[in-house]
Amino acid sequence: MSSHRPRLRPDVLSRDILASVVVFLVAVPLCVGIAVASGVPAELGLVTGIVGGLVAGAMPGSSLQVSGPAAGLTVLVYEAVTTHGIAALGILVLATGILQVGLGLVGFGRWFRAISTAVVHGMLAGIGLVLISSQLYAMAGASAPGSGLDNLAGLPELLTRITGAAALSSVAIGVGTIAVLILWKRLPGRLPRMLPAPLAAVVPATAAVALFDPPVATIEVRGLADSLRLTGLDDFGLLADVGLLGAVLAFTLIASAESLFSAAAVDRMHDGPRTQYNKELVAQGAGNTLCGLVGALPMTAVIVRSAANVQAGACTKASRILHGVWLLLFAALFPAVLGLIPVAALAGVLVHAGAKLIPVTAIRPLWRDHRGEAVVLVATALAIVLTDMFMGVLLGIGLAVVKTAWETSAVRLEVEERADRTTVVLSGSATFLRLPLILDTLEALPKDGPVEFDLSRLRHLDHACRTALEAWSTHNGTPMTAGPEADGAPREEALAAASPDGRGPTPPGR
């Protein structure tokens, strides 16, 4: 029996090794930067990347996507750590992982694909705005005020505080990092294709700080062992806090949706085995369970690292496992290197990553062709900035449901006036959402002649509309022709109840 899975031949293995090195070089600055921006030790970001490679990478699900700490969860982690303390991070991530495993085992993974793409893009746009607003302060060597709205409101004042050697040096490093990230792929030659842009931006900044010793902040190194905090049985008592339970649900929803949307995107990039969504959700949950046990950051599949893996020529899951091995060796053998990296450079990496989360070019065509989707996207993003991640996503999902209900309940009323009667023809779906339109149309009908309803073209008639039409029919002596069943009632019974004399519909023309 033939298999589509590539054999581990020497040429395949060499391509996987090369791809793993590329992904490792992309992952190091992102893992460290996301941890620092989340308000936790930098080593915890590397731990999550290691688990993403060695655990989630080895499990069935998706063949080529790579997991680790994601910029999309930075804001949520920071809020959780600020509100509940870093000691609560372990149990929060552990509970998220257990919930993900359970959802995957009961076959819930495929349902995450049903989440509106407008909500997901709005969620990422909101995260991007909050991430940019917070990391601009880090680029200037200052502390962010706190919430997303406060951070945005404080930006004008921040500009006035960029004075002195320390602030100016920090801003120069951050701006230089962003410039390299933007221009790197546009440079000629093979080097931009071989060396990942984040590494190409952070290494010169680190070298400049080591050579010239400007008065800028660098990453605080605590050591891998000192950064870990094992989660114990006593920590489960923290889950009695309703606020922490809300954070668990938000982590589960966002991490799962981002991972499975990433899987769908990665599947379009290669011709290998397709993602098994339930198994991938179990793999993500297993990784988060382990991350939670050691107090590390939550893990998701990350599209940036996954795309780098595919583009580097990866053939099997060996590449993502090996990238975890390289991260482990780096964290164990070269931890002092982290202490040389300037915070402003990592802030620049995250500002650039946050900007890429905002679909600026897609909003205008979306507004032109699918205005309702654009409203959901923008409303979700603004709600995240104004409130928090959980409330913003809930609002976005609610708006998406309302939008869908409104669109699917479209009803059309045609008034046909004849010499002896007026006929109102209803087509589409008559639901309570369109009841004001229906009643307004009926109120405007002439009062001096017979009126007849034709419901035969309706696809759906809900209870509210049926009741309103029955009342109108009874009051005005208006006959109805056959229409759809209403709320499961047999069609004949519904129409008999709707006709004035209770004997059933009156055919048109009689």
Side-chain angles (χ1 to χ4, degrees):
M1 184 172 66
S2 63
S3 173
H4 296 290
R5 197 179 297 275
R7 296 178 181 178
L8 199 58
R9 302 190 308 266
D11 59 326
V12 171
L13 181 59
S14 64
R15 292 174 63 182
D16 283 336
I17 292 175
L18 177 61
S20 71
V21 173
V22 173
V23 177
F24 160 72
L25 295 176
V26 173
V28 169
L30 290 176
C31 287
V32 174
I34 290 168
V36 173
S38 300
V40 303
E43 291 86 349
L44 293 185
L46 292 175
V47 171
T48 300
I50 293 167
V51 174
L54 299 182
V55 178
M59 295 183 68
S62 178
S63 60
L64 296 182
Q65 78 169 352
V66 182
S67 300
L73 287 175
T74 301
V75 176
L76 198 59
V77 174
Y78 181 83
E79 291 175 353
V81 170
T82 303
T83 305
H84 304 286
I86 194 171
L89 180 62
I91 189 61
L92 195 159
V93 178
L94 175 61
T96 297
I98 294 173
L99 188 55
Q100 284 182 306
V101 170
L103 291 173
L105 291 176
V106 299
F108 206 73
R110 63 191 184 92
W111 289 104
F112 276 94
R113 292 181 293 169
I115 297 176
S116 167
T117 55
V119 174
V120 175
H121 290 313
M123 174 191 73
L124 295 177
I127 291 169
L129 289 172
V130 176
L131 192 60
I132 291 171
S133 65
S134 63
Q135 292 307 300
L136 287 175
Y137 289 88
M139 279 179 55
S143 298
S147 68
L149 184 60
D150 291 339
N151 291 344
L152 288 173
L155 289 179
E157 181 186 354
L158 178 65
L159 292 175
T160 65
R161 291 159 52 190
I162 303 178
T163 58
L168 291 174
S169 299
S170 186
V171 169
I173 290 173
V175 172
T177 300
I178 295 174
V180 173
L181 290 168
I182 294 173
L183 300 175
W184 184 248
K185 290 295 184 182
R186 302 178 185 178
L187 297 177
R190 298 179 58 186
L191 186 61
R193 295 195 297 272
M194 296 174 59
L195 190 63
L199 193 70
V202 172
V203 167
T206 303
V209 170
L211 289 174
F212 301 108
D213 194 25
V216 297
T218 56
I219 294 176
E220 180 182 348
V221 178
R222 294 173 52 177
L224 195 59
D226 294 334
S227 300
L228 299 178
R229 179 189 179 277
L230 298 181
T231 301
L233 293 176
D234 294 340
D235 292 318
F236 281 88
L238 297 173
L239 294 177
D241 186 341
V242 176
L244 196 64
L245 284 177
V248 170
L249 293 176
F251 270 63
T252 302
L253 172 65
I254 295 168
S256 302
E258 187 169 348
S259 295
L260 298 182
F261 270 97
S262 172
V266 173
D267 280 350
R268 291 194 291 269
M269 298 179 185
H270 66 89
D271 298 325
R274 304 294 91 180
T275 296
Q276 302 175 65
Y277 286 91
N278 291 322
K279 291 183 178 181
E280 179 63 17
L281 188 56
V282 171
Q284 295 295 322
N288 274 321
T289 300
L290 183 55
C291 287
L293 287 173
V294 298
L297 287 172
M299 180 188 78
T300 76
V302 187
I303 189 63
V304 174
R305 272 160 268 183
S306 302
N309 189 39
V310 175
Q311 292 165 3
C315 300
T316 72
K317 64 174 62 179
S319 61
R320 56 186 193 172
I321 297 174
L322 286 173
H323 119 276
V325 173
W326 310 143
L327 285 174
L328 178 59
L329 293 175
F330 177 81
L333 302 178
F334 308 106
V337 174
L338 298 178
L340 302 176
I341 301 176
V343 173
L346 295 179
V349 171
L350 291 177
V351 167
H352 181 260
K356 292 175 68 175
L357 293 176
I358 304 173
V360 177
T361 57
I363 291 178
R364 178 174 293 180
L366 192 65
W367 176 261
R368 183 179 63 247
D369 301 328
H370 305 282
R371 189 158 298 182
E373 293 287 298
V375 170
V376 172
L377 189 156
V378 173
T380 302
L382 291 179
I384 289 174
V385 173
L386 296 176
T387 57
D388 55 39
M389 180 75 64
F390 188 55
M391 294 303 298
V393 172
L394 284 182
L395 176 66
I397 292 174
L399 286 176
V401 170
V402 170
K403 179 192 76 69
T404 301
W406 178 261
E407 290 177 348
T408 56
S409 67
V411 65
R412 183 178 180 184
L413 286 84
E414 298 180 5
V415 179
E416 301 175 356
E417 296 186 5
R418 302 176 184 175
D420 56 341
R421 69 176 56 82
T422 299
T423 302
V424 179
V425 181
L426 283 80
S427 57
S429 298
T431 70
F432 70 96
L433 294 173
R434 303 293 182 166
L435 196 51
L437 170 65
I438 295 173
L439 293 178
D440 287 345
T441 302
L442 297 181
E443 293 290 344
L445 293 176
K447 303 294 191 298
D448 55 352
V451 178
E452 177 183 85
F453 286 141
D454 181 358
L455 309 183
S456 60
R457 303 181 192 178
L458 281 177
R459 295 191 305 270
H460 175 71
L461 178 66
D462 73 359
H463 179 72
C465 280
R466 190 191 75 173
T467 303
L469 291 176
E470 286 176 1
W472 180 270
S473 175
T474 302
H475 184 267
N476 294 276
T478 303
M480 296 184 182
T481 61
E485 299 177 9
D487 295 336
R491 179 177 298 174
E492 292 77 14
E493 294 180 13
L495 293 173
S499 62
D501 56 7
R503 293 179 298 185
T506 304
R510 293 183 61 183

